[in-house]
Amino acid sequence: MEPVVRDSAEVDAETWDDPVRGRVSFRVLFSQDRTPTAALYTGLTELPPDGWLGLHRHTATEVYHLIEGTGVVVLDGVEHPVAAGSAVFIPGDAEHGIRNTGEGPLRFVYAFPTDSFDDVRYRFSAEE
């Protein structure tokens, strides 16, 4: 491992746009398969107006920290309004998803206590 500084604007966005995973883009900022880092996989997600991330689970714990916009996060069937400044702790295997309820983008930083993107196995509820 070594110290790394990245500009998120210089990281290519990956996009999901389908009825199961949702309408969302994300930038993987630190992931052992892409950067000389380990022990923490993190990135930046953006949901456009009316965008959403489908209900899903994974064994890894996750956190969200919202930096722009407003939305609703669903945690094990319970809806919670969120806005810039909100922080969300998601235990492993808790069903969760998020949708944008505002007129502009909803942006949040996410983090997993694992080495890389490849360590996280998403299980989408609509596929189970």
Side-chain angles (χ1 to χ4, degrees), residues 7-30:
D7 181 335
S8 62
E10 295 176 359
V11 177
D12 290 337
E14 300 176 49
T15 302
W16 292 343
D17 190 1
D18 67 64
V20 172
R21 294 181 297 178
R23 192 160 66 99
V24 57
S25 68
F26 57 97
R27 298 171 193 272
V28 175
L29 301 176
F30 300 109

Side-chain angles (χ1 to χ4, degrees), residues 72-128:
V72 172
V73 66
V74 179
L75 301 168
D76 283 335
V78 179
E79 294 191 351
H80 303 270
V82 290
S86 296
V88 181
F89 176 82
I90 305 162
D93 287 318
E95 182 185 55
H96 60 286
I98 187 170
R99 68 182 182 273
N100 185 346
T101 59
E103 295 180 14
L106 172 68
R107 299 175 68 212
F108 63 92
V109 173
Y110 64 89
F112 293 94
T114 189
D115 292 329
S116 76
F117 177 83
D118 293 336
D119 294 338
V120 180
R121 301 287 179 240
Y122 288 82
R123 300 180 327 269
F124 284 89
S125 301
E127 294 179 333
E128 294 182 341

Side-chain angles (χ1 to χ4, degrees), residues 56-75:
H56 65 283
R57 302 172 189 270
H58 35 69
T59 57
T61 299
E62 184 178 17
V63 295
Y64 294 168
H65 182 223
L66 279 77
I67 57 174
E68 181 181 354
T70 58
V72 172
V73 66
V74 179
L75 301 168

Side-chain angles (χ1 to χ4, degrees), residues 1-6 30 32 35-38:
M1 286 191 300
E2 61 185 66
V4 179
V5 175
R6 301 189 82 190
F30 300 109
Q32 190 175 48
T35 56
T37 58

